[in-house]
Amino acid sequence: MNINDGYDRLIVVDPGKNEVKTMVFDTEFHLQKSFSFPSKTEKKRNFYDIDGNGNNQFKTVFDGQNYLVGEGIKRTYNFETTKNNLHHKICVYTAIALAVEQEKEKIHLIVGYPSSDYVNIKQRTDYINLLTSKSPIHFTVDGVEKVFEIVDIEVFPEGIGMRPRSLNAGQNVHIMDIGGQNINYREYDTLGNTLASFSLDNAGVNHLEAFVRKKLRDFVNADVVSIDALNIHQAIVKGRIEELDDKLLTNYSSSKEFMEDAIATFLEDSVFGQMMTKGVNLYQRGYKIIFTGGGSLLLRPYIESTLVNNKGNLYFSETAKWDNCISYIMKDIGTRCKQMGILEMSQKYAGIVFEETKGL
């Protein structure tokens, strides 16, 4: 028995607030492709003024309305805490349209949802209804119409971290999934049981970038420096603001000193401080702390400096960007195999996925 009878393709989408990550599997669980694009959409009357040539900019049409998706959008990321909105629907449909190759492909869609919202059955049901269509979906990308049918949808909570947890089996662990809008936290015991879970809103890397820009306005003359034009994401990566002359800063000797102070303040107040109000002290030694999500790659050096007391207990996933997608499909395999009474097959299928996604 093949649990994927009735589907042409399995598509896993992690519709983050910073990036939309997608994995595409065939019905034997072999990874066909993986890709990502910025989580930005903008409604357009037409595309006449668009002259982009980036690989991650897409001119899309859905229900007669034009949307620019991905790169080349000036407006900021979507800061709504909910994912039950048109922005995420367009992002998910863009991901599917980029994945399908034949007309009227039958898709098994697997998507994620924030931990705190996942337990709200009504919200989760509304999310499924938002993405569901009773008829084939017509979605145009860059002038090519794609027609696909979403046969069914499975939704799983963000921040499960199944791959890095399997590599740290038999330990009590904290999971910190750092995304664009929020941070999803989960605590697991040695048997893999969830002991606690919640989401921290306004704690993701998009909010960090906004925080750095706001703080920077207090220490530079905005009449001389266009703060909005500075590449803050790159500044976080480099640890300094390359476009800014240090002489234009007040109270700081260099942009490197400013960035270190700003990011440390954000982590202490908006992340680890918020955690402590919820009874989780990551400054204390004890549990292994697993960091996953694309934001963990960006913030690793700053986290290591902030949690210096826990040096040796910090584990940064090598597949951090893709861990949610990997977790979703592995959970989907287990759920569907159990429902179909072939639970013994779940280990085989999960093993295929584990190997297929190694080294991403």
Side-chain angles (χ1 to χ4, degrees), residues 3-21:
I3 66 171
N4 294 323
D5 287 343
Y7 310 133
D8 295 311
R9 212 178 296 265
L10 284 68
I11 299 179
V12 188
V13 184
D14 178 19
K17 291 287 187 176
N18 186 272
E19 263 191 310
V20 179
K21 282 82 67 176

Side-chain angles (χ1 to χ4, degrees), residues 54-335:
N55 293 329
N56 284 324
Q57 183 184 89
F58 310 104
K59 303 179 183 74
T60 72
V61 182
F62 176 63
D63 276 352
Q65 177 62 57
N66 301 320
Y67 301 93
L68 189 65
V69 179
E71 294 175 347
I73 298 176
K74 281 189 175 181
R75 65 178 54 185
T76 59
Y77 291 97
N78 182 281
F79 282 100
E80 292 182 60
T81 56
T82 181
K83 290 197 173 182
N84 295 8
N85 54 36
L86 180 61
H87 164 74
H88 281 285
K89 181 173 185 173
I90 296 300
C91 284
V92 172
Y93 280 11
T94 299
I96 297 172
L98 292 171
V100 299
E101 297 173 357
Q102 307 298 323
E103 186 173 347
K104 295 185 179 179
E105 285 194 23
K106 297 183 182 299
I107 303 302
H108 175 60
L109 178 63
I110 309 165
V111 292
Y113 207 55
S115 295
S116 295
D117 295 340
Y118 185 81
V119 296
N120 187 317
I121 297 175
K122 182 183 184 305
Q123 279 188 291
R124 182 158 31 111
T125 301
D126 289 344
Y127 185 51
I128 292 173
N129 291 337
L130 173 74
L131 299 175
T132 298
S133 175
K134 295 180 180 179
S135 58
I137 297 162
H138 294 253
F139 195 91
T140 300
V141 179
D142 294 336
V144 179
E145 186 181 47
K146 299 292 187 77
V147 183
F148 52 87
E149 180 183 348
I150 300 177
V151 178
D152 48 32
I153 302 175
E154 291 288 348
V155 180
F156 296 102
E158 298 171 348
I160 301 173
M162 292 189 72
R163 187 183 187 94
R165 276 199 292 126
S166 70
L167 297 173
N168 293 274
Q171 301 184 61
N172 290 93
V173 296
H174 296 291
I175 299 279
M176 294 285 286
D177 172 27
I178 304 177
Q181 166 70 25
N182 55 22
I183 291 178
N184 289 289
Y185 166 80
R186 300 183 81 85
E187 179 186 356
Y188 290 92
D189 65 17
T190 57
L191 299 177
N193 298 308
T194 303
L195 301 180
S197 68
F198 54 79
S199 298
L200 297 180
D201 293 329
N202 308 324
V205 293
N206 294 350
H207 288 279
L208 169 60
E209 290 187 30
F211 174 83
V212 171
R213 288 187 193 279
K214 182 178 179 181
K215 185 176 177 67
L216 187 59
R217 293 181 190 280
D218 295 332
F219 300 101
V220 298
N221 187 337
D223 292 333
V224 178
V225 179
S226 175
I227 294 174
D228 290 335
L230 300 176
N231 190 335
I232 299 301
H233 181 89
Q234 191 64 21
I236 297 171
V237 174
K238 297 285 188 179
R240 64 185 186 280
I241 307 173
E242 293 186 329
E243 311 99 308
L244 182 65
D245 188 333
D246 290 341
K247 295 177 183 178
L248 297 175
L249 268 172
T250 60
N251 291 32
Y252 290 95
S253 62
S254 66
S255 65
K256 180 178 185 296
E257 182 187 0
F258 167 80
M259 290 299 296
E260 289 175 349
D261 181 50
I263 296 172
T265 300
F266 182 84
L267 288 175
E268 290 165 0
D269 295 346
S270 298
V271 180
F272 302 123
Q274 272 202 80
M275 299 290 293
M276 291 183 72
T277 67
K278 293 179 178 292
V280 180
N281 187 349
L282 296 186
Y283 294 100
Q284 290 180 328
R285 293 183 63 84
Y287 283 23
K288 174 80 74 173
I289 307 173
I290 295 175
F291 290 91
T292 183
S296 68
L297 301 174
L298 184 66
L299 296 179
R300 178 172 182 170
Y302 305 102
I303 292 171
E304 289 176 329
S305 296
T306 304
L307 299 181
V308 64
N309 185 55
N310 252 319
K311 185 178 181 180
N313 284 336
L314 309 182
Y315 180 90
F316 291 84
S317 173
E318 294 180 355
T319 52
K321 177 176 176 176
W322 302 104
D323 279 338
N324 272 336
C325 286
I326 295 169
S327 296
Y328 300 157
I329 191 165
M330 286 188 167
K331 288 289 288 184
D332 177 71
I333 287 169
T335 299

